[in-house]
């Protein structure tokens, strides 16, 4: 079928309100496209290099992805529904079928994004559902772009320069951002066994702030199922809040202090039982008092 035949006959022009709504949808999709190219490139780069390069800027862009998706949700669905009602009986059935497939793919894209987003009043934690939603959300944009081109081939001639400009902007911004990530020394700090003989590896340098480790409530906002399991398990009483463990580790630390002059060897126990005191550096103090440290009870 030729391009000319796809463009005949044409629908009457869109109303002013529909044109404005379409312009808003295309603008939001364009911003999301640039945003998404950056996010997926960072993920691919981390997989290929084995290096974690996500930083504060990445998190801001990811937050922007969520916000843009939520803003896009209503305009995209409303425009698609109104345009479908307007064009469903059009004699160019090729254009109608392509448009219907485009609208369906767009719904799948937006719905999968909703399933992946955890709200305070609604969240899906089933691993299988989240896996399917993730890959649906990653792959459907390709279908949306392809179907949009097919659908538009049945209408006014496409303005390829606009699409090329957005694509170029996405590539340039992504290359610059990823290059910045790779050269950022804070993003590539090596991991070392700072607390030997414990096998745990942490970023080289200063200890980890205890406040950064004591965020169970924040973690539970996304991982409610894990937090609930932990609350009902014996692991909740695995540190100095367990009298049997405390007697054992206090006795061990006293014996090590008498033998070695320090309690460093007790890190082997702390790497599983006392992560907050260990990684914050407090555990190494021979005078460490668990009763005065909230981190000894988590």
């Amino acid at each position: 079928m030729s391009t000319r035949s796809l463009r005949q006959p044409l629908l009457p022009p869109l109303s002013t309100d529909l044109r404005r709504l379409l312009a808003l949808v295309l603008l939001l999709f364009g911003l999301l496209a640039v945003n998404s190219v950056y996010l997926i490139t960072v993920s691919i780069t981390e997989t290929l290099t084995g290096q974690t390069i996500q930083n504060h800027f990445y998190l801001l862009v990811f937050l922007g992805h969520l916000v843009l998706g939520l803003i896009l949700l209503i305009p995209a669905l409303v425009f698609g529904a109104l345009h479908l009602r307007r064009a469903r009986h059009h004699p160019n059935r090729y254009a109608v079928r392509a448009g219907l497939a485009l609208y369906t793919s767009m719904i799948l894209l937006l719905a999968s994004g909703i399933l992946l987003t955890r709200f305070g009043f609604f969240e899906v934690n089933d691993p299988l559902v989240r896996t399917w939603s993730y890959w649906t959300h990653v792959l459907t944009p390709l279908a949306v772009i392809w179907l949009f081109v097919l659908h538009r081939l049945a209408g006014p001639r496409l303005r390829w320069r606009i699409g090329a400009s957005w694509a170029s902007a996405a590539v340039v911004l992504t290359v610059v951002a990823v290059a910045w990530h790779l050269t950022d020394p804070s993003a590539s700090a090596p991991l070392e066994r700072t607390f030997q003989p414990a096998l745990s590896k942490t970023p080289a340098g200063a200890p980890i702030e205890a406040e950064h480790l004591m965020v169970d409530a924040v973690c539970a906002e996304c991982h409610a199922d894990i937090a609930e399991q932990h609350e009902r398990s014996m692991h909740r009483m695995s540190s100095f809040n367990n009298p049997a463990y405390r007697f054992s580790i206090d006795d061990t630390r006293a014996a090590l202090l008498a033998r070695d002059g320090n309690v460093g060897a007790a890190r082997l126990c702390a790497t599983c039982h006392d992560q907050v005191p260990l990684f914050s550096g407090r555990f190494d103090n021979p005078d460490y008092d668990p009763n005065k440290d909230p981190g000894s009870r988590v």
Side-chain angles (χ1 to χ4, degrees), residues 2-196:
S2 67
T3 302
R4 180 180 179 83
S5 66
L6 292 179
R7 293 199 178 101
Q8 300 297 331
L10 299 178
L11 277 172
L14 294 174
S15 66
T16 301
D17 289 340
L18 275 182
R19 283 202 306 272
R20 289 174 179 171
L21 188 56
L22 176 60
L24 175 62
V25 170
L26 291 177
L27 173 63
L28 291 173
F29 261 119
L31 292 173
L32 265 175
V34 175
N35 177 290
S36 300
V37 169
Y38 163 79
L39 293 176
I40 195 67
T41 303
V42 169
S43 298
I44 292 173
T45 302
E46 289 186 336
T47 300
L48 295 177
T49 63
Q51 180 179 334
T52 300
I53 61 175
Q54 296 179 22
N55 57 13
H56 184 68
F57 177 73
Y58 175 91
L59 296 178
L60 289 176
V61 175
F62 185 80
L63 178 61
H65 187 84
L66 297 179
V67 172
L68 284 171
L70 292 173
I71 295 174
L72 172 66
L73 185 63
I74 299 302
L77 293 177
V78 169
F79 175 81
L82 293 176
H83 189 46
L84 180 62
R85 185 181 67 176
R86 172 176 175 268
R88 67 181 184 275
H89 298 304
H90 193 267
N92 190 335
R93 304 315 297 168
Y94 180 92
V96 173
R97 289 193 295 270
L100 183 59
L102 171 61
Y103 190 47
T104 302
S105 298
M106 184 182 65
I107 291 174
L108 286 174
L109 174 62
L110 296 172
S112 60
I114 292 294
L115 290 176
L116 289 171
T117 304
R118 290 184 168 100
F119 303 94
F121 56 88
F122 169 80
E123 61 182 62
V124 177
N125 294 311
D126 184 274
L128 183 60
V129 175
R130 294 191 66 81
T131 298
W132 278 99
S133 299
Y134 174 80
W135 286 110
T136 299
H137 199 65
V138 169
L139 296 176
T140 46
L142 302 177
V144 167
I145 295 172
W146 176 60
L147 291 167
F148 175 76
V149 172
L150 292 182
H151 181 62
R152 284 299 308 274
L153 285 174
R157 191 175 300 278
L158 283 169
R159 299 178 182 179
W160 296 104
R161 290 185 179 179
I162 297 178
S165 299
W166 279 102
S168 300
V171 171
V172 170
L173 290 174
T174 298
V175 169
V176 171
V178 172
W180 168 51
H181 283 307
L182 291 173
T183 56
D184 181 8
S186 63
S188 57
L191 298 179
E192 296 180 355
R193 288 180 57 190
T194 309
F195 301 97
Q196 295 188 35

Side-chain angles (χ1 to χ4, degrees), residues 215-230:
V215 289
D216 289 4
V218 176
C219 298
E221 292 178 4
C222 291
H223 304 285
D225 53 336
I226 298 175
E228 184 179 355
Q229 292 172 22
H230 177 267

